[in-house]
Amino acid sequence: MLRLASLAAAVVLAASPASAQFYRDKTLTLLVNYAAGGNADTEARVFQRHLSKHIPGNPNVIIRNLPGAGGANAMNQLGLGIAGRPDGLTLGFFTMSATSSITDDPVLKVKIQDVYVPIAGGRGWNVVYARKDIVPGGYTKPADFPKAQKIFAGGYSKATSHDTRLRLALEIMNLPYTMVTGFQGTGHLNQAMLKNEVNFTGSSLPGFQTQVIPQIIKEGIGIALFHHPVMGVDGGPQGNPLLEKQGIVTFHQFYRDAFGKPPSGAKHDALFLMNDISTKMQRGMLIPTGSPPEAIAALRKAFAALQDDPAFAKEFRAITGEDPDIVSPVEIEQIFERIRKVSPEVKRVLRESVGQEG
C-alpha cells in the first residue's frame, strides 16, 4: 500500500512564485554515494525518471556516482562543498549508515544532521544470502547453517550498516568468519560470490530482485537465508510480509530454527536497534545546509508527490518487488534524534564491532 507517513508535516506550503521559477532551465544532480549498477544507483534512476515532472520548471535531472569509503566519500564531499555548492542544484541520494552516525566514524568527516537539510527518505529492507556450498554437503535449512566453518562475508566498509549487520549476525550465531570488504557496489559483490571469493553477504531489495535472484538464486548457486526485521509497536521483531510470503524468514526466526531459541544479548540488541534505524531510513535525500529555501520547498513537495505517482510506483515495484515508502523530513529529524540518544551500551558494542577504541 502506498503511504507517506506524516505527509501533512512533510510538505511545506505551496510553492511561491520564486520557487516555481527556481529550477527553470536548470539541471539537478542526484549525487549517489555508491557505484553505478548498485542498489542505491538502481533506485536513484527510478527517481530520476519521474522527479522532474513534479518540480516547477521541470529541470533536467541527472545522476552522478561518487562511490568510496562505504558511501562516506560522497557524503563528505557534498557536505564540505567539494562535490557541489549549497545552491539547490545538487541533491545527495545517499544510502545511509546508522552505524557510522552512532559511532561517530572518523571516516565520516561531517555530521549528517548538521550539514544537511532533509528533503525525503526511503525505507528499505535487507536480505542476507549465501552460496549453498557455504555448508559442507550443501545448505538446505537453517539448522544446517551452524555447520559452516569457512565463512567469507563480503562488504563495503567496516563502519557501514551493511558490514555491521553481517558481522553482528555471525557473532550472535558464534560462527567463525573472515570479512572481505572494500567492494564498491552490489554488482561487484555478486561477481565475487559467483567466483566463490565470498560466500555470505546481503543486499537491499533493488539489487536483490534485479541481480541476486536471476544471477545467484535462480542459477542454483545461492539461497536467501533471512531478512532483518524492524521493531514493531510492541518492541518485538516485525518482518516484511512480502518477503515472508516468499519464504525468506526474519533473522529472529532463522536463529530459532537454527539454534532452538531466540537471539539475545548485547550484540543482538545493538543489531536490532541499528537495523531498525537503517531500515526506516535506508536512503536519505539530503541537500546541503544554506541551500535556497525555494529549492528546499520545491524538492520536498516533488518527493512527496512521487508517493502518489502511479507511473513511479509501477516502476519502483518492478525493481524492488514492493511499493515505494517515502519518508517525510519530519520523520528523518526524529530518526536523527534517536541516533543522538542511543544508549552507551549499544554505542559501545557498535564501536567495538567497527574496531574503534574506547
Side-chain angles (χ1 to χ4, degrees):
M1 178 180 67
L2 292 179
R3 59 192 176 96
L4 178 60
S6 305
L7 178 61
V11 181
V12 293
L13 295 175
S16 65
S19 63
Q21 301 299 319
F22 182 84
Y23 282 106
R24 189 177 304 280
D25 300 324
K26 293 180 181 177
T27 295
L28 173 67
T29 297
L30 303 186
L31 185 70
V32 180
N33 60 340
Y34 279 89
N39 284 298
D41 177 75
T42 299
E43 202 168 294
R45 291 177 191 277
V46 180
F47 280 86
Q48 176 199 14
R49 287 188 282 273
H50 297 272
L51 186 61
S52 179
K53 62 188 173 185
H54 297 292
I55 302 175
N58 307 117
N60 185 35
V61 180
I62 64 172
I63 299 285
R64 178 187 173 195
N65 298 92
L66 190 58
N73 186 34
M75 292 180 172
N76 290 335
Q77 290 205 32
L78 185 57
L80 295 172
I82 300 169
R85 296 182 296 137
D87 54 10
L89 300 182
T90 303
L91 174 78
F93 191 100
F94 297 148
T95 293
M96 306 298 288
S97 172
T99 306
S100 296
S101 295
I102 292 171
T103 62
D104 296 318
D105 176 23
V107 174
L108 191 59
K109 307 297 183 185
V110 297
K111 285 190 178 294
I112 299 298
Q113 59 268 32
D114 293 340
V115 302
Y116 287 110
V117 174
I119 297 299
R123 291 184 179 87
W125 300 78
N126 189 274
V127 177
V128 172
Y129 55 102
R131 286 181 61 98
K132 289 183 176 179
D133 57 12
I134 195 171
V135 173
Y139 175 92
T140 59
K141 58 185 182 300
D144 296 332
F145 199 71
K147 303 172 188 175
Q149 295 299 312
K150 293 183 179 180
I151 300 173
F152 295 91
Y156 301 126
S157 178
K158 63 182 181 180
T160 61
S161 293
H162 176 280
D163 287 33
T164 305
R165 283 186 181 105
L166 299 178
R167 286 194 308 269
L168 289 179
L170 291 169
E171 290 168 11
I172 291 165
M173 291 188 283
N174 197 30
L175 293 174
Y177 69 93
T178 298
M179 200 76 206
V180 184
T181 196
F183 293 95
Q184 292 197 352
T186 310
H188 300 91
L189 266 176
N190 289 333
Q191 285 301 310
M193 183 166 280
L194 290 171
K195 296 175 183 177
N196 204 14
E197 295 170 349
V198 301
N199 56 14
F200 180 86
T201 192
S203 174
S204 55
L205 295 185
F208 184 74
Q209 296 287 353
T210 62
Q211 298 182 48
V212 178
I213 289 178
Q215 296 174 10
I216 295 173
I217 307 295
K218 286 187 176 179
E219 292 297 322
I221 296 167
I223 189 166
L225 300 177
F226 54 84
H227 71 281
H228 288 285
V230 296
M231 289 183 185
V233 292
D234 62 353
Q238 177 180 313
N240 181 318
L242 293 175
L243 292 175
E244 291 177 328
K245 189 177 292 187
Q246 295 174 45
I248 305 174
V249 300
T250 66
F251 175 67
H252 287 65
Q253 187 61 53
F254 180 87
Y255 189 96
R256 281 179 180 271
D257 293 344
F259 298 97
K261 59 182 180 180
S264 61
K267 289 184 178 180
H268 165 261
D269 294 344
L271 172 61
F272 194 25
L273 174 66
M274 180 277 294
N275 179 74
D276 184 64
I277 294 172
S278 295
T279 299
K280 290 173 179 174
M281 191 178 64
Q282 179 170 268
R283 310 285 182 233
M285 296 68 149
L286 310 173
I287 196 167
T289 56
S291 296
E294 56 268 34
I296 295 170
L299 291 173
R300 284 181 169 178
K301 196 172 183 182
F303 275 94
L306 280 175
Q307 185 69 35
D308 297 315
D309 182 333
F312 169 75
K314 181 179 179 180
E315 185 176 357
F316 189 93
R317 193 180 303 116
I319 293 294
T320 67
E322 64 176 3
D323 291 324
D325 191 356
I326 297 175
V327 181
S328 75
V330 170
E331 284 186 286
I332 296 174
E333 292 289 3
Q334 292 170 347
I335 291 171
F336 285 164
E337 191 61 21
R338 287 184 67 193
I339 290 172
R340 294 185 186 102
K341 294 180 177 179
V342 166
S343 73
E345 177 64 6
V346 167
K347 189 172 290 191
R348 179 191 65 78
V349 170
L350 292 177
R351 282 179 168 164
E352 287 181 357
S353 180
V354 302
Q356 291 183 16
E357 297 181 0

